[in-house]
Amino acid sequence: QLQLVESGGGLVQPGGSLTLSCEASGVTLDYYTTGWFRQVPGKEREGVSCTSYGGGGTYYADSVKGRFTISRNNHKNTISLQMNSLKPDDTALYYCAAAWDPYSLICTTEFKVRPYTSWGQGTQVTVSS
């Protein structure tokens, strides 16, 4: 069974950078679509970025485009999210997620939550001066 564990969150000043990491265990990420989502209290979980296995497609939410970069290392079974030029609105609990997706259908600009079957516990990112 695939398990995901995030790390790298913390407190950062506006304009700063953070790199979130997600380590997968139990199975390899071959043919899995992986994504990053975030949630603040009282709001729905929203998609930040996703990427399909083998370069099938990579997408970013408009709010983070040009500032965040998703990457995956299939050999190390890890997923990362490099976050630059952070803003207070980026403050949230960030989750990594994965879904078996051999035909690369799940990663789209709609960032639907339901198709993802494996989730980490989340890592808090707070952007504040």
Side-chain angles (χ1 to χ4, degrees), residues 4-95:
L4 303 172
V5 178
E6 304 97 335
S7 62
L11 173 64
V12 63
Q13 293 187 339
S17 298
L18 277 176
T19 300
L20 304 183
S21 297
C22 178
E23 183 174 348
S25 62
V27 299
T28 63
L29 291 175
D30 295 352
Y31 302 106
Y32 276 81
T33 279
T34 57
W36 287 93
F37 292 77
R38 65 187 182 186
Q39 190 169 21
V40 297
K43 292 189 176 181
E44 291 187 356
R45 192 167 297 187
E46 65 171 359
V48 175
S49 181
C50 61
T51 184
S52 300
Y53 177 78
T58 298
Y59 298 99
Y60 296 92
D62 288 342
S63 58
V64 307
K65 203 172 293 183
R67 301 188 296 122
F68 290 12
T69 303
I70 191 172
S71 60
R72 56 190 290 169
N73 186 319
N74 292 325
H75 294 292
K76 293 184 178 180
N77 231 28
T78 57
I79 312 140
S80 297
L81 185 69
Q82 173 68 43
M83 306 185 296
N84 298 325
S85 302
L86 283 161
K87 306 175 182 180
D89 283 349
D90 295 318
T91 296
L93 188 61
Y94 283 72
Y95 298 90

